[in-house]
């Protein structure tokens, strides 16, 4: 595992929405470069960029049409190389997004694969041998090509699945994971990784990393074997490169597949979602289901949250994986609803403070540091659907388009928050107690305090769901009180307050925490 990860804090940038430098309404690489000092000032020393390759953008760039070329709307490969250099000069690392499971349906490999004549790409994707032969339990397309066969999808219709083989092939058209065609797919991905790493990238966030091997690979032994093979080809040449998986199963991704970090996310409804998500008033798509009490975030002030729901899931994963790699808990990402919207600004700030002080390598989603809000009711953009409201442009200041772009308002990628009190960097810079400055203080403290970094120990002090929730990082004591009431508790010894949100008063071997407060004690 690269040693720089122990003190890394990532900032995720959705490139189309961060900073437009040429008034065409779309964020770009020069824009990102112009904001590197800002990102670094937050205490973030690493960046993850969502896909910025040539693409028809039917899934915001996760439908790649050329793995080795920057989409012209963002700039050129040279601009990206310059970004790497500018980041490195500031002591920062940059991860690109690798999409290994599928390409765009417009990728030249796929266009070749669609041809009826056999060629070098015939087996690069997963095809049955008849247009009338579908694929059980998988999404597939029939009847759309001259080639006689159905092809498998990995996500949307525009994203055909690359062929890494089947764990136990049992049809003529299914190949084993070591079939030369499947090895060729792996090697093609190794080549893509090598290309960017040689040009200065510091690693990859890997999209749908668990999705490679098909069939009955539920236990993921096939997919883990493929990753181990890929890493054995990439790591010797690039020992400092870092890899974070979108997998949400650290026992498999860290211990089994060999990733350095794994995102703790998603839809199990018992982990990340109990911290950061409140399904109750998020979006029509989530309103369809029955709303249960556990759909409330722990940090919702009046919902009587129970931290043990998170701990039950997290602690066992943390204990099982901490010697192999890091769990990465994001404050949000381009797929999840922003916390602010269903949570209040203060509730979200407490959730972020908690996430950013846990072990592992945290990821801050652009705009979360100012409490940007989920924008309801937007028409889907580039395959975003309900994710669109999370992908609106960064709000820098009070000028046109909140400083994101000087282009016409009707040409910008997405509208910025129209509310009169939309949070901006400029406003929050002025207030030492703002959301922005609080996040910054936490991250700078973390960067200068070994105990709070990725492999500092983590221990829960409470026995159950007592308020405040107290936890230890090495010898530091941290507390959070998400409720509306003041609580006093005994602690192990007299301690002083290093950082706080809200009212926190230390006493003799005790601490009093006001409503919705957080503290780090020495
Ligand atoms: C991942 C990405 C998401 C994308 C999907 C398909 O979940 O985070 O944005 O749509 O994979 O590539
Ligand atoms: Ca632009």
């Amino acid at each position: 595992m690269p040693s720089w990860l122990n003190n890394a804090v990532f900032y995720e940038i959705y490139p189309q929405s961060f900073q437009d430098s040429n008034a065409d309404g779309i964020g770009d690489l020069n824009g990102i470069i112009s904001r590197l000092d800002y990102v670094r000032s937050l205490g973030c020393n690493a960046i993850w960029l969502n896909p910025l390759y040539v693409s028809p953008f039917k899934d915001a760039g996760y439908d790649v049409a050329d793995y080795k070329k920057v989409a012209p709307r963002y700039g050129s490969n040279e601009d990206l190389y310059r970004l790497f250099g500018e980041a490195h000069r500031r002591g920062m690392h940059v991860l690109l997004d690798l999409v290994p499971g599928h390409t765009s349906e417009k990728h030249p490999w796929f266009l070749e694969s669609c041809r009826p004549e056999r060629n070098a790409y015939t087996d690069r994707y997963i095809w049955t041998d008849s247009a009338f032969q579908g694929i059980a339990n998988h999404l597939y397309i029939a009847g759309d090509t001259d080639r006689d066969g159905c092809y498998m999808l990995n996500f949307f219709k525009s994203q055909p699945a690359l062929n890494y083989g089947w764990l136990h092939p049992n049809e003529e058209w299914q190949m084993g994971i070591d079939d030369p065609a499947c090895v060729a797919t792996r090697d093609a991905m190794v080549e893509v990784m090598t290309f960017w790493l040689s040009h200065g990238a510091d690693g990859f966030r890997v999209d749908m990393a668990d999705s490679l091997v098909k069939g009955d690979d539920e236990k993921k032994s096939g997919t883990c074997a493929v990753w181990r093979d890929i890493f054995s080809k990439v790591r010797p040449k690039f020992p400092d490169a870092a890899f974070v998986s979108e997998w949400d199963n650290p026992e498999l991704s860290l211990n089994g597949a060999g990733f350095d970090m794994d995102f703790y996310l998603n839809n199990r409804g018992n982990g990340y979602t109990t911290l950061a998500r409140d399904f109750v008033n998020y979006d029509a798509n989530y309103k369809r289901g029955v709303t249960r009490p556990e759909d409330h975030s722990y940090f919702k002030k009046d919902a009587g949250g129970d931290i043990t729901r998170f701990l039950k899931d997290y602690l066992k994963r943390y204990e099982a994986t901490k010697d192999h790699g890091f769990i990465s808990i994001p404050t949000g990402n381009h797929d999840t609803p922003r916390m602010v919207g269903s949570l209040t600004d203060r509730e979200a700030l407490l959730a972020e403070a908690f996430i950013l002080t846990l072990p592992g390598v945290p990821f801050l989603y652009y705009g979360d540091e100012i409490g940007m809000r989920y924008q309801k009711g937007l028409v889907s953009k580039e395959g975003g659907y309900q994710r669109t409201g999370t992908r609106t442009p960064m709000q820098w200041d009070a000028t046109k388009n909140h400083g994101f772009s000087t282009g016409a308002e009707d040409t910008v990628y997405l509208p910025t928050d129209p509310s009169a009190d939309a949070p901006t960097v400029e406003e929050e810079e002025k207030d030492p107690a703002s959301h922005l400055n609080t996040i910054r203080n936490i991250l700078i403290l973390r960067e200068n305090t070994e105990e709070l970094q990725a492999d500092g120990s983590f221990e829960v002090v409470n026995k159950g769901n007592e308020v405040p929730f107290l936890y230890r990082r090495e010898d530091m004591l941290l507390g959070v009180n998400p409720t509306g009431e003041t609580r006093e508790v005994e602690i192990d010894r007299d301690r002083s307050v290093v950082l706080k949100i809200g009212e926190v008063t230390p006493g003799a071997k005790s601490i009093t925490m006001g409503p919705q407060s957080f503290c780090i004690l020495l």
Side-chain angles (χ1 to χ4, degrees):
M1 205 188 328
S3 59
W4 60 270
L5 287 181
N6 190 45
N7 194 13
V9 175
F10 280 87
Y11 190 81
E12 178 190 347
I13 295 179
Y14 184 72
Q16 44 275 64
S17 288
F18 198 56
Q19 179 68 68
D20 175 20
S21 72
N22 61 352
D24 67 354
I26 297 198
D28 47 54
L29 291 169
N30 283 329
I32 295 171
I33 292 172
S34 73
R35 295 296 188 178
L36 284 177
D37 286 332
Y38 166 76
V39 176
R40 186 70 193 90
S41 84
L42 296 172
C44 293
N45 50 25
I47 291 174
W48 153 33
L49 299 168
N50 291 110
L52 29 71
Y53 320 107
V54 170
S55 166
F57 294 103
K58 301 213 71 169
D59 185 17
Y62 282 94
D63 48 331
V64 178
D66 186 340
Y67 282 105
K68 296 197 261 187
K69 193 160 187 275
V70 167
R73 73 186 202 179
Y74 298 133
S76 63
N77 280 25
E78 280 62 38
D79 292 330
L80 183 54
Y81 307 154
R82 202 155 47 78
L83 189 157
F84 294 149
E86 289 291 330
H88 295 159
R89 218 160 55 72
R90 292 165 171 82
M92 303 169 85
H93 290 89
V94 183
L95 300 192
L96 297 180
D97 210 316
L98 182 76
V99 189
H102 48 269
T103 66
S104 159
E105 62 190 339
K106 299 284 193 270
H107 193 292
W109 297 344
F110 186 66
L111 299 179
E112 283 298 300
S113 202
C114 287
R115 286 153 54 102
E117 309 82 29
R118 257 204 95 75
N119 62 64
Y121 299 97
T122 299
D123 297 328
R124 179 57 52 94
Y125 298 81
I126 299 175
W127 292 83
T128 68
D129 46 21
S130 156
F132 300 98
Q133 158 84 68
I135 308 176
N137 307 319
H138 290 281
L139 291 171
Y140 64 87
I141 298 290
D144 205 36
T145 61
D146 288 340
R147 174 173 176 174
D148 189 6
C150 299
Y151 62 90
M152 191 191 286
L153 300 175
N154 218 32
F155 197 68
F156 286 159
K157 186 259 171 190
S158 57
Q159 293 158 315
L162 283 161
N163 183 16
Y164 293 87
W166 295 66
L167 187 61
H168 299 113
N170 52 25
E171 303 268 359
E172 189 87 4
W173 50 268
Q174 299 176 352
M175 294 167 200
I177 63 175
D178 291 320
D179 187 284
C182 304
V183 175
T185 308
R186 277 184 225 175
D187 287 344
M189 225 33 77
V190 168
E191 208 220 313
V192 170
M193 293 160 99
T194 304
F195 175 82
W196 290 114
L197 293 170
S198 321
H199 280 100
D202 298 296
F204 295 93
R205 175 267 188 184
V206 178
D207 186 71
M208 289 176 65
D210 63 332
S211 75
L212 305 191
V213 174
K214 307 304 185 196
D216 54 353
D217 193 24
E218 284 94 15
K219 298 209 171 107
K220 299 293 169 189
S221 61
T223 297
C224 285
V226 167
W227 279 116
R228 285 195 304 271
D229 178 53
I230 291 176
F231 288 135
S232 76
K233 291 168 176 161
V234 176
R235 294 221 195 244
K237 234 174 126 187
F238 302 99
D240 277 336
F243 301 89
V244 54
S245 46
E246 184 195 30
W247 194 316
D248 197 26
N249 192 330
E251 291 95 327
L252 291 175
S253 57
L254 305 179
N255 305 14
F259 280 90
D260 302 304
M261 306 169 267
D262 184 38
F263 282 121
Y264 187 77
L265 275 171
N266 265 343
N267 305 313
R268 282 196 310 266
N270 54 3
Y272 168 80
T273 54
T274 70
L275 301 180
R277 194 171 294 189
D278 197 89
F279 282 97
V280 180
N281 46 28
Y282 156 47
D283 189 273
N285 288 293
Y286 284 88
K287 274 190 191 158
R288 286 183 305 221
V290 184
T291 309
R292 306 157 302 170
E294 59 264 39
D295 290 334
H296 289 290
S297 153
Y298 172 68
F299 297 94
K300 196 93 196 134
K301 177 162 130 282
D302 298 317
D306 183 354
I307 192 68
T308 64
R309 285 172 43 238
F310 164 72
L311 294 173
K312 231 189 292 166
D313 183 72
Y314 174 76
L315 281 174
K316 79 169 187 281
R317 293 174 192 275
Y318 169 67
E319 291 299 337
T321 61
K322 65 181 194 240
D323 297 332
H324 297 265
F326 297 123
I327 292 176
S328 283
I329 310 191
T331 59
N333 73 19
H334 61 290
D335 296 327
T336 63
R338 285 192 190 271
M339 286 190 230
V340 184
S342 61
L343 300 189
T344 64
D345 184 83
R346 181 58 162 264
E347 289 164 347
L349 184 61
L350 294 177
E352 289 166 359
F354 181 63
I355 288 170
L356 297 173
T357 52
L358 285 175
V361 180
F363 280 67
L364 180 69
Y365 184 54
Y366 83 94
D368 281 354
E369 72 275 24
I370 56 169
M372 262 174 68
R373 302 164 188 156
Y374 178 77
Q375 299 298 312
K376 290 188 182 174
L378 293 176
V379 173
S380 178
K381 180 83 176 183
E382 297 187 342
Y385 304 100
Q386 86 266 10
R387 304 175 296 183
T388 305
T390 283
R391 300 173 172 184
T392 56
M394 182 66 181
Q395 293 154 202
W396 298 102
D397 56 37
T399 62
K400 185 157 81 169
N401 304 311
H402 285 108
F404 160 67
S405 170
T406 55
E409 273 169 51
D410 57 357
T411 66
V412 289
Y413 181 75
L414 282 168
T416 52
D417 185 346
S419 23
D421 63 348
T424 65
V425 172
E426 185 185 38
E427 269 310 299
E428 296 197 20
E429 287 283 7
K430 295 179 195 156
D431 174 6
S434 66
H435 200 120
L436 171 68
N437 280 315
T438 306
I439 296 293
R440 180 181 274 152
N441 291 339
I442 292 171
L443 292 182
I444 289 175
L445 179 67
R446 184 183 162 116
E447 196 168 30
N448 295 316
T449 312
E450 241 179 87
E451 289 91 325
L452 297 175
Q453 293 167 10
D455 69 2
S457 67
F458 173 70
E459 210 188 307
V460 173
V461 174
N462 307 43
K463 296 268 177 301
N465 188 40
E466 299 97 88
V467 176
F469 173 63
L470 297 174
Y471 55 108
R472 233 191 296 260
R473 300 293 318 277
E474 301 291 343
D475 192 42
M476 296 185 103
L477 186 69
L478 294 88
V480 56
N481 174 10
T483 72
E485 290 145 36
T486 299
R487 297 290 175 91
E488 184 183 359
V489 277
E490 266 179 48
I491 55 174
D492 53 351
R493 57 177 163 84
D494 291 0
R495 287 179 177 267
S496 57
V497 177
V498 185
L499 185 148
K500 62 177 181 172
I501 299 172
E503 288 299 318
V504 177
T505 326
K509 283 180 119 185
S510 79
I511 188 87
T512 303
M513 297 191 68
Q516 297 189 290
S517 61
F518 168 84
C519 63
I520 303 180
L521 309 175
L522 199 61

